[in-house]
Amino acid sequence: MSGDGPGVYKVVAVSKMGHNSGIVLESGTVSRVTTGGMVPLGSDAVIQVEDTELVSSTPDGEEDTIRILSSVSPGTDVRPVGSDIAKGEVLLPGGCQLFAAELGLLASQGIESVAVRSKPKIAIISTGNELVKSGSNLASGQVRDSNTPALSHLLREDGYNVTFCSHFPDSLHDVTEGLRTTLQHADIVLTTGGVSMGECDYLKEALPAVGASVQFGRVHMKPGKPTTFATFSSGQLFFGLPGNP
Protein backbone atom coordinates (compact mmCIF):
# COMPACT_ATOMS: atom_id res chain seq x y z
CA MET A 1 0.00 0.00 0.00
CA SER A 2 1.27 3.47 -0.84
CA GLY A 3 0.72 4.61 2.75
CA ASP A 4 3.18 2.05 4.16
CA GLY A 5 6.18 4.05 2.91
CA PRO A 6 9.84 2.97 2.74
CA GLY A 7 10.97 -0.05 4.76
CA VAL A 8 11.47 -3.82 4.67
CA TYR A 9 8.51 -5.93 3.48
CA LYS A 10 7.64 -9.58 3.01
CA VAL A 11 6.96 -10.68 -0.59
CA VAL A 12 3.83 -12.82 -0.29
CA ALA A 13 2.75 -13.25 -3.92
CA VAL A 14 3.73 -12.95 -7.57
CA SER A 15 1.40 -11.49 -10.20
CA LYS A 16 2.35 -12.33 -13.77
CA MET A 17 0.75 -11.29 -17.04
CA GLY A 18 -2.31 -13.35 -17.91
CA HIS A 19 -2.71 -14.73 -14.39
CA ASN A 20 -4.74 -13.53 -11.43
CA SER A 21 -3.21 -14.69 -8.16
CA GLY A 22 -6.45 -13.97 -6.32
CA ILE A 23 -4.55 -12.81 -3.26
CA VAL A 24 -5.58 -9.77 -1.22
CA LEU A 25 -2.57 -7.83 0.07
CA GLU A 26 -2.53 -6.64 3.64
CA SER A 27 -0.64 -3.66 4.96
CA GLY A 28 3.03 -4.54 5.55
CA THR A 29 3.25 -7.02 2.66
CA VAL A 30 4.05 -6.69 -1.04
CA SER A 31 3.62 -8.65 -4.24
CA ARG A 32 5.98 -8.84 -7.19
CA VAL A 33 4.13 -7.66 -10.32
CA THR A 34 5.50 -8.13 -13.83
CA THR A 35 4.87 -5.31 -16.29
CA GLY A 36 1.30 -5.69 -17.49
CA GLY A 37 0.34 -8.02 -14.64
CA MET A 38 -2.76 -7.52 -12.49
CA VAL A 39 -2.27 -5.47 -9.35
CA PRO A 40 -3.50 -7.54 -6.37
CA LEU A 41 -6.56 -6.40 -4.45
CA GLY A 42 -5.64 -4.35 -1.42
CA SER A 43 -2.77 -2.58 -3.20
CA ASP A 44 -3.00 0.89 -4.69
CA ALA A 45 0.43 1.58 -6.22
CA VAL A 46 3.47 -0.01 -7.85
CA ILE A 47 7.05 0.56 -6.77
CA GLN A 48 9.53 0.25 -9.62
CA VAL A 49 12.15 -2.44 -9.04
CA GLU A 50 14.85 0.21 -9.42
CA ASP A 51 13.53 1.77 -6.19
CA THR A 52 13.93 -1.44 -4.16
CA GLU A 53 16.76 -3.69 -3.02
CA LEU A 54 16.82 -7.37 -2.13
CA VAL A 55 17.11 -8.19 1.57
CA SER A 56 16.66 -11.98 1.51
CA SER A 57 15.75 -14.74 -0.95
CA THR A 58 13.81 -17.99 -0.78
CA PRO A 59 15.62 -21.33 -1.29
CA ASP A 60 14.60 -21.33 -4.98
CA GLY A 61 16.07 -17.87 -5.55
CA GLU A 62 12.90 -15.75 -5.45
CA GLU A 63 12.53 -12.58 -3.40
CA ASP A 64 11.59 -13.24 0.22
CA THR A 65 11.95 -9.76 1.67
CA ILE A 66 12.81 -6.47 0.01
CA ARG A 67 13.55 -2.94 1.09
CA ILE A 68 11.50 -0.15 -0.48
CA LEU A 69 13.65 2.97 -0.87
CA SER A 70 11.12 5.62 -1.89
CA SER A 71 7.58 6.74 -1.27
CA VAL A 72 4.80 6.75 -3.86
CA SER A 73 1.33 8.20 -4.03
CA PRO A 74 -1.87 6.20 -4.67
CA GLY A 75 -2.24 5.15 -8.29
CA THR A 76 1.46 5.36 -9.17
CA ASP A 77 2.23 3.14 -12.19
CA VAL A 78 -1.22 1.54 -12.05
CA ARG A 79 -3.47 1.54 -15.11
CA PRO A 80 -7.07 1.05 -13.92
CA VAL A 81 -9.23 -1.40 -15.86
CA GLY A 82 -11.12 0.48 -18.54
CA SER A 83 -8.98 3.61 -18.30
CA ASP A 84 -8.01 3.42 -21.97
CA ILE A 85 -11.60 3.34 -23.26
CA ALA A 86 -14.62 4.21 -21.16
CA LYS A 87 -17.87 2.25 -21.35
CA GLY A 88 -20.10 3.77 -24.02
CA GLU A 89 -17.27 5.71 -25.65
CA VAL A 90 -17.25 5.75 -29.47
CA LEU A 91 -14.24 3.78 -30.68
CA LEU A 92 -14.22 5.05 -34.26
CA PRO A 93 -16.51 7.50 -36.05
CA GLY A 94 -18.58 6.20 -38.92
CA GLY A 95 -16.98 6.70 -42.30
CA CYS A 96 -13.39 6.78 -41.09
CA GLN A 97 -10.68 4.91 -42.97
CA LEU A 98 -9.27 1.78 -41.39
CA PHE A 99 -5.51 1.70 -41.12
CA ALA A 100 -3.19 -0.24 -38.81
CA ALA A 101 -4.01 1.78 -35.66
CA GLU A 102 -7.76 1.53 -36.19
CA LEU A 103 -7.62 -2.22 -36.81
CA GLY A 104 -5.52 -2.69 -33.69
CA LEU A 105 -8.03 -0.70 -31.64
CA LEU A 106 -10.93 -2.82 -32.90
CA ALA A 107 -9.04 -6.03 -32.18
CA SER A 108 -8.26 -4.88 -28.62
CA GLN A 109 -12.01 -4.67 -27.97
CA GLY A 110 -12.74 -8.11 -29.41
CA ILE A 111 -14.30 -6.74 -32.59
CA GLU A 112 -13.44 -9.04 -35.48
CA SER A 113 -15.59 -7.52 -38.21
CA VAL A 114 -17.25 -4.20 -39.02
CA ALA A 115 -19.44 -2.98 -41.85
CA VAL A 116 -17.28 -1.16 -44.39
CA ARG A 117 -17.57 0.50 -47.75
CA SER A 118 -15.07 -0.47 -50.40
CA LYS A 119 -13.02 2.20 -52.12
CA PRO A 120 -14.66 3.41 -55.32
CA LYS A 121 -13.54 1.98 -58.64
CA ILE A 122 -12.42 4.85 -60.85
CA ALA A 123 -12.25 4.95 -64.63
CA ILE A 124 -10.13 7.52 -66.47
CA ILE A 125 -11.13 8.38 -70.02
CA SER A 126 -9.25 10.64 -72.40
CA THR A 127 -11.04 12.07 -75.42
CA GLY A 128 -9.95 13.56 -78.71
CA ASN A 129 -8.84 12.44 -82.16
CA GLU A 130 -5.52 14.19 -81.64
CA LEU A 131 -4.42 11.94 -78.78
CA VAL A 132 -2.01 9.02 -79.08
CA LYS A 133 -0.37 6.87 -76.41
CA SER A 134 2.68 8.35 -74.73
CA GLY A 135 5.05 5.89 -76.41
CA SER A 136 3.81 6.57 -79.93
CA ASN A 137 5.48 8.58 -82.66
CA LEU A 138 3.64 11.77 -83.45
CA ALA A 139 2.07 12.57 -86.78
CA SER A 140 1.20 16.11 -87.72
CA GLY A 141 -1.52 17.49 -85.44
CA GLN A 142 -1.17 14.77 -82.79
CA VAL A 143 -0.22 15.06 -79.11
CA ARG A 144 0.67 12.38 -76.60
CA ASP A 145 -1.84 11.58 -73.86
CA SER A 146 -0.25 12.88 -70.66
CA ASN A 147 -3.46 13.27 -68.65
CA THR A 148 -4.25 9.57 -68.22
CA PRO A 149 -0.93 8.53 -66.64
CA ALA A 150 -0.75 11.72 -64.57
CA LEU A 151 -4.27 11.37 -63.15
CA SER A 152 -3.84 7.63 -62.61
CA HIS A 153 -0.77 8.15 -60.46
CA LEU A 154 -2.31 11.05 -58.54
CA LEU A 155 -5.31 8.91 -57.61
CA ARG A 156 -3.23 5.86 -56.73
CA GLU A 157 -0.96 7.99 -54.54
CA ASP A 158 -4.07 8.83 -52.50
CA GLY A 159 -5.04 5.16 -52.27
CA TYR A 160 -7.80 5.03 -54.89
CA ASN A 161 -8.38 2.15 -57.27
CA VAL A 162 -8.04 3.05 -60.93
CA THR A 163 -9.61 0.02 -62.56
CA PHE A 164 -10.29 1.12 -66.12
CA CYS A 165 -8.63 3.45 -68.62
CA SER A 166 -9.74 4.12 -72.17
CA HIS A 167 -9.82 6.66 -74.98
CA PHE A 168 -12.84 7.99 -76.88
CA PRO A 169 -12.49 9.42 -80.38
CA ASP A 170 -14.45 12.52 -81.30
CA SER A 171 -17.86 11.24 -82.33
CA LEU A 172 -21.17 11.34 -80.50
CA HIS A 173 -21.72 7.62 -81.05
CA ASP A 174 -18.28 6.62 -79.77
CA VAL A 175 -18.53 8.86 -76.73
CA THR A 176 -22.05 7.69 -75.83
CA GLU A 177 -21.33 3.99 -76.25
CA GLY A 178 -17.96 4.40 -74.56
CA LEU A 179 -19.66 5.90 -71.52
CA ARG A 180 -22.14 3.00 -71.39
CA THR A 181 -19.28 0.52 -71.35
CA THR A 182 -17.25 2.48 -68.83
CA LEU A 183 -20.16 2.69 -66.39
CA GLN A 184 -20.16 -1.10 -66.22
CA HIS A 185 -16.64 -1.02 -64.77
CA ALA A 186 -16.52 2.00 -62.47
CA ASP A 187 -18.20 3.87 -59.64
CA ILE A 188 -16.61 7.15 -60.69
CA VAL A 189 -15.87 8.21 -64.26
CA LEU A 190 -13.22 10.87 -64.77
CA THR A 191 -12.79 12.24 -68.28
CA THR A 192 -10.43 14.77 -69.83
CA GLY A 193 -11.42 16.82 -72.86
CA GLY A 194 -14.69 17.05 -74.73
CA VAL A 195 -16.65 19.13 -72.19
CA SER A 196 -16.35 22.59 -73.68
CA MET A 197 -18.37 24.25 -76.48
CA GLY A 198 -16.24 23.07 -79.38
CA GLU A 199 -17.58 21.43 -82.51
CA CYS A 200 -16.09 18.07 -81.44
CA ASP A 201 -17.00 18.25 -77.75
CA TYR A 202 -19.68 15.59 -77.29
CA LEU A 203 -19.64 14.64 -73.61
CA LYS A 204 -22.32 17.06 -72.43
CA GLU A 205 -24.61 15.80 -75.17
CA ALA A 206 -23.84 12.16 -74.42
CA LEU A 207 -24.35 12.34 -70.65
CA PRO A 208 -28.18 12.59 -70.64
CA ALA A 209 -28.30 9.75 -73.17
CA VAL A 210 -26.69 7.40 -70.65
CA GLY A 211 -28.90 8.51 -67.75
CA ALA A 212 -26.75 11.20 -66.19
CA SER A 213 -28.06 14.35 -64.52
CA VAL A 214 -25.62 17.20 -65.12
CA GLN A 215 -25.27 19.20 -61.90
CA PHE A 216 -23.01 21.89 -63.30
CA GLY A 217 -21.13 22.43 -66.54
CA ARG A 218 -18.67 25.20 -65.73
CA VAL A 219 -16.79 26.68 -62.79
CA HIS A 220 -15.38 30.12 -62.07
CA MET A 221 -11.79 29.19 -62.87
CA LYS A 222 -9.45 29.61 -65.80
CA PRO A 223 -8.01 27.36 -67.10
CA GLY A 224 -10.61 24.75 -66.16
CA LYS A 225 -13.83 26.69 -66.77
CA PRO A 226 -15.73 23.85 -68.56
CA THR A 227 -15.32 21.42 -65.63
CA THR A 228 -18.48 19.31 -65.46
CA PHE A 229 -20.06 17.21 -62.74
CA ALA A 230 -22.94 14.75 -63.21
CA THR A 231 -24.68 12.12 -61.13
CA PHE A 232 -26.54 8.88 -61.82
CA SER A 233 -29.50 7.33 -60.03
CA SER A 234 -27.24 4.32 -59.37
CA GLY A 235 -25.02 6.51 -57.20
CA GLN A 236 -22.22 6.63 -59.77
CA LEU A 237 -20.47 9.95 -60.35
CA PHE A 238 -19.03 11.70 -63.39
CA PHE A 239 -16.30 14.33 -63.40
CA GLY A 240 -15.44 15.93 -66.72
CA LEU A 241 -12.21 17.91 -66.86
CA PRO A 242 -10.95 20.06 -69.71
CA GLY A 243 -8.26 18.45 -71.83
CA ASN A 244 -5.64 21.13 -71.13
CA PRO A 245 -3.11 19.48 -68.74
Side-chain angles (χ1 to χ4, degrees), residues 132-156:
V132 296
K133 291 184 178 180
S134 58
S136 302
N137 293 324
L138 294 178
S140 178
Q142 293 182 328
V143 294
R144 296 185 179 94
D145 179 11
S146 60
N147 287 337
T148 298
L151 290 172
S152 295
H153 283 284
L154 280 172
L155 289 165
R156 287 178 175 132

Side-chain angles (χ1 to χ4, degrees), residues 79-87 89-91 104-105 108-109:
R79 182 178 295 173
V81 175
S83 61
D84 53 344
I85 300 170
K87 183 177 180 180
E89 183 178 351
V90 175
L91 292 178
L105 175 61
S108 73
Q109 302 304 305

Side-chain angles (χ1 to χ4, degrees), residues 90-109:
V90 175
L91 292 178
L92 296 170
C96 73
Q97 295 189 64
L98 298 180
F99 296 106
E102 288 77 10
L103 293 174
L105 175 61
L106 292 172
S108 73
Q109 302 304 305

Side-chain angles (χ1 to χ4, degrees), residues 48-63:
Q48 296 185 16
V49 67
E50 295 86 351
D51 294 323
T52 68
E53 59 183 19
L54 182 65
V55 175
S56 64
S57 302
T58 63
D60 57 2
E62 300 290 346
E63 301 101 328

Side-chain angles (χ1 to χ4, degrees), residues 1 3 26 30 38-39 54 61 80 95 101 105 137 140 153 159 165 167 169 182 206 208 216 218 230 244:
M1 294 183 182
E26 297 179 356
V30 297
M38 294 185 66
V39 177
L54 182 65
L105 175 61
N137 293 324
S140 178
H153 283 284
C165 293
H167 170 257
T182 302
F216 59 80
R218 59 180 57 196
N244 186 347

Side-chain angles (χ1 to χ4, degrees), residues 2 7 9 19 29 39-40 53 72 107 116 132 138 142 148 180 205 208-209 223 227-228:
S2 59
Y9 294 91
H19 175 70
T29 62
V39 177
E53 59 183 19
V72 292
V116 298
V132 296
L138 294 178
Q142 293 182 328
T148 298
R180 292 189 199 278
E205 186 176 352
T227 296
T228 299

